[in-house]
Amino acid sequence: MGYIFLVACAAVALWIAHGAYKIFVYAYLSPYRDLPTPDQGAIWKRLLIEPDTSDFLRWANEVPNDGLIRYFGILNDERLHVTNTQGLAQLLQKDAYLYTKPSAQGQLIRVLAGDNLVVDEGENHKISDTRLQPAFSPARKPHWYQLFSSAALDLVQAIDHQNTSLSSPTTDTTPFNLSRVLSQMGLDTIGKDCVGADFDSLKSPKDKNTLGYLKLFNTSADANLLEVIMHLFPFWLLEALPIKALQYARNMTGQVRETVQEKAAENMAAHDHGQEKEDLDDKNMVDCMRRDLLSPAQVVNNALTMVTAGHEEIGTALTWVVYFLIHHPEVQTRLRNEITSAPGDSSDWKEQGFVEDDFNKIPYLRAVINESLRLRPNVPVIWRESTSPTTLLETSIPRPGAVITASTWAMNRNVDEWGVDATGFNPDRWLDDANGGAKSAFSFMTFGQGPRKCIGELYARTQMECVLAGLVDSFVLSSAHKLEDIVTSQGMITVKVWQGLRILARPVERTV
Ligand code: HEM
């Protein structure tokens, strides 16, 4: 007993000594001590608070630097932060495979989807990427326009239904949580496109399986805490502890995983029996993956990853576009006018569906989407960890394990890249210039860059076009909150409207 007590005391003493060294001494001995370092205030702040997007933006503007600064994250963890496009090009493109995603980043993703493209590294990543790319090929666009037009119609009908069933006698609309409805629509759509499964969550929103799954992605204090905990502790320890939120995440994902697994198995069995679908329009993502070169587990894990990203990212990104439209009613009116007066048949979309050419005639729609994606990148920070000694922007990184961050939020608002109105919402900047007037491809960071750039960008943009056109063509959107009460929630992984965006959708009156 006495011996165990002594060992425990020694372990605690060592832990305290290590903590004290890390807090009071290490900063002065670190190989990065000569890099510009922002003033982060009192020591307790560095221990308890993870810097967020507003800190990165302030530092980029206020701390003189040559593209790299050093700062301290929660528990005084030392990090390097890239602030210019040259640094981003080196980190994410030229030397992309010298870095991995920090293991903490991958933990939550593994809980939700197992090993998959997001957490594959090095050669494994290159191989998986090539095998999954066909599922996101531009050749699938005609099929996507059909699928997303019908998603837009389902959404409009769900909102109409909500308005007529819930509205009070004095008003013709009822406030509803748009973020929730958009995630339901996103889940139904990606379910169909990925594995041919209809989750039907828009029409049956009370189904326990999908409801619980969708709730996993809501903003809440618990979810934010879980993100921080997962960042701090090794996964094996978290697995061993009865952490409720983690068990809930695993259970709820398990139910959606079963559907994905079952449908993927049906697809694979049909393929094994020579029933390969001839027509590209009939193929779903799983049919398009190079299944002959992927194990069944890889197919299922990646399909589940696409289902997760496909509903969560799109729901969040579309929520932000509507957020800007309710803050800028003049932009909303102009967008509606441009949609209704566009030459061609886009006004028939409810019968015919949208085709790509409809959107070539509404450049303002793409401009609004781009501007919203610029100012509210879903993923506010990109995280990497060095794997071997290297050099970044002439700074030597002598050891593996250096954590490096890049803020998509700050780069997308960088005055040197975007001009003096960098923080303002100005869709017009995209009308004359496909790059929005920015100087470099690395100025727009919403989908990342380099070989790990978002594989779903085209899918996301195509769906956003159809759904936004359908929504704005059908409803005048306004906020159910006071505008100043809408809160931006910044987790370590995503930026969302806290508790979802509650809006009013008044049907557009048309004079015949
Ligand atoms: C507006 C919507 C979206 C945004 C803003 C977004 C953003 C991002 C970003 C910033 C990354 C790079 C992260 C990094 O470098 O660490 C990424 C990667 C990824 N995204 Fe998206 N995404 C969106 C939609 C989607 C969709 C719809 C899918 C799938 C259906 C998807 C699947 C993925 C996957 C699998 C990766 C990992 C790629 C790799 O590591 O090679 N995303 N996304």
Side-chain angles (χ1 to χ4, degrees):
M1 185 67 186
Y3 175 70
I4 293 177
F5 180 72
L6 272 182
V7 171
C9 286
V12 171
L14 267 177
W15 185 72
I16 293 173
H18 176 254
Y21 168 79
K22 205 170 137 188
I23 295 164
F24 299 110
V25 183
Y26 175 75
Y28 303 99
L29 303 178
S30 152
Y32 312 114
R33 61 185 177 276
D34 293 331
L35 280 176
T37 306
D39 178 1
Q40 291 182 252
I43 191 82
W44 67 265
K45 286 196 180 159
R46 288 202 256 149
L47 286 174
L48 300 178
I49 298 179
E50 182 62 36
D52 67 15
T53 50
S54 56
D55 296 306
F56 292 130
L57 188 59
R58 203 179 60 252
W59 297 342
N61 291 328
E62 291 176 5
V63 179
N65 69 85
D66 292 325
L68 210 52
I69 59 182
R70 164 179 87 147
Y71 71 97
F72 293 90
I74 197 160
L75 290 192
N76 211 44
D77 265 351
E78 184 182 52
R79 311 220 169 109
L80 305 183
H81 182 68
V82 178
T83 62
N84 69 12
T85 52
Q86 293 89 320
L88 290 175
Q90 189 178 355
L91 179 74
L92 301 176
Q93 179 96 53
K94 181 171 158 287
D95 293 341
Y97 287 109
L98 294 181
Y99 301 90
T100 58
K101 296 190 179 170
S103 54
Q105 277 273 299
Q107 290 179 3
L108 189 57
I109 296 161
R110 281 202 180 86
V111 169
L112 296 175
D115 284 329
N116 64 81
L117 184 69
V118 181
V119 287
D120 283 339
E121 297 294 350
E123 278 308 306
N124 280 347
H125 176 266
K126 288 184 199 167
I127 294 169
S128 298
D129 186 50
T130 340
R131 293 171 183 180
L132 297 175
Q133 281 295 347
F136 294 91
S137 147
R140 301 201 67 227
K141 272 170 103 180
H143 164 70
W144 283 340
Y145 278 111
Q146 277 177 19
L147 179 71
F148 301 154
S149 302
S150 114
L153 190 56
D154 288 347
L155 181 74
V156 167
Q157 286 170 347
I159 297 175
D160 269 336
H161 179 71
Q162 192 140 325
N163 276 339
T164 45
S165 60
L166 297 178
S167 60
S168 74
T170 48
T171 57
D172 59 354
T173 54
T174 309
F176 67 97
N177 189 329
L178 177 78
S179 311
R180 198 195 61 222
V181 184
L182 287 172
S183 328
Q184 289 166 333
M185 178 216 62
L187 180 64
D188 294 349
T189 316
I190 187 76
K192 285 180 202 152
D193 193 39
C194 189
V195 281
D198 188 357
F199 289 103
D200 207 19
S201 66
L202 253 186
K203 289 192 189 123
S204 320
K206 301 246 154 52
D207 177 83
K208 273 210 306 259
N209 291 354
T210 45
L211 190 70
Y213 176 71
L214 288 167
K215 262 176 74 180
L216 281 179
F217 304 93
N218 288 354
T219 47
S220 69
D222 277 2
N224 280 4
L225 184 65
L226 183 64
E227 264 186 38
V228 172
I229 290 177
M230 296 195 86
H231 209 82
L232 295 179
F233 298 101
F235 198 41
W236 58 263
L237 180 62
L238 296 175
E239 291 248 280
L241 296 174
I243 296 177
K244 243 168 94 187
L246 210 59
Q247 287 164 345
Y248 180 74
R250 211 186 293 281
N251 283 345
M252 286 306 150
T253 316
Q255 290 165 4
V256 168
R257 171 181 277 272
E258 271 172 30
T259 310
V260 170
Q261 201 155 5
E262 199 180 290
K263 287 284 175 185
E266 274 173 27
N267 280 281
M268 286 188 268
H271 176 257
D272 292 345
H273 288 95
Q275 296 158 2
E276 186 68 60
K277 294 174 192 161
E278 294 288 323
D279 190 352
L280 190 62
D281 278 356
D282 289 338
K283 290 192 175 184
N284 55 43
M285 282 183 180
V286 163
D287 294 318
C288 295
M289 292 174 186
R290 290 296 313 275
R291 282 190 310 218
D292 49 332
L293 302 173
L294 291 163
S295 72
Q298 283 174 315
V299 171
V300 172
N301 289 350
N302 281 298
L304 194 58
T305 305
M306 302 316 167
V307 169
T308 307
H311 86 275
E312 155 71 355
E313 298 288 356
I314 286 174
T316 304
L318 274 166
T319 297
W320 284 122
V321 185
V322 174
Y323 165 92
F324 284 111
L325 293 183
I326 61 184
H327 276 80
H328 299 272
E330 73 293 352
V331 173
Q332 189 182 149
T333 308
R334 176 171 164 197
L335 180 58
R336 185 168 304 105
N337 290 341
E338 302 218 359
I339 293 169
T340 42
S341 63
D345 292 332
S346 64
S347 55
D348 286 349
W349 71 272
K350 287 185 183 160
E351 282 81 42
Q352 314 283 330
F354 292 110
V355 289
E356 182 166 13
D357 197 39
D358 292 332
F359 297 103
N360 297 334
K361 293 173 194 149
I362 323 172
Y364 195 58
L365 181 100
R366 287 185 175 149
V368 167
I369 291 176
N370 272 330
E371 188 65 346
S372 173
L373 287 169
R374 181 180 75 83
L375 286 176
R376 287 292 189 284
N378 295 1
V379 181
V381 181
I382 289 180
W383 297 74
R384 293 290 186 267
E385 191 171 306
S386 65
T387 56
S388 53
T390 182
T391 301
L392 178 58
L393 286 178
E394 295 176 13
T395 294
S396 160
I397 314 265
R399 285 191 292 270
V403 173
I404 299 156
T405 60
S407 168
T408 58
W409 181 285
M411 182 48 71
N412 286 4
R413 291 158 181 253
N414 185 305
V415 175
D416 292 338
E417 303 298 319
W418 296 94
V420 283
D421 68 341
T423 54
F425 182 74
N426 174 18
D428 284 308
R429 75 174 81 237
W430 297 94
L431 289 179
D432 298 330
D433 180 346
N435 295 322
K439 291 186 184 152
S440 143
F442 288 83
S443 317
F444 182 78
M445 288 299 301
T446 301
F447 291 97
Q449 287 292 348
R452 305 217 67 146
K453 191 175 184 192
C454 179
I455 197 171
E457 176 176 358
L458 190 61
Y459 175 94
R461 284 180 175 280
T462 313
Q463 186 164 3
M464 288 176 76
E465 285 171 10
C466 295
V467 173
L468 186 63
L471 258 185
V472 172
D473 184 52
S474 308
F475 302 107
V476 176
L477 309 163
S478 58
S479 177
H481 310 270
K482 279 197 210 141
L483 287 180
E484 59 274 21
D485 289 346
I486 303 175
V487 174
T488 300
S489 149
Q490 298 184 19
M492 286 163 92
I493 302 180
T494 48
V495 173
K496 294 188 184 191
V497 174
W498 179 252
Q499 309 274 302
L501 184 67
R502 292 181 66 76
I503 66 157
L504 295 165
R506 186 164 49 76
V508 171
E509 285 166 22
R510 302 217 189 277
T511 42
V512 197

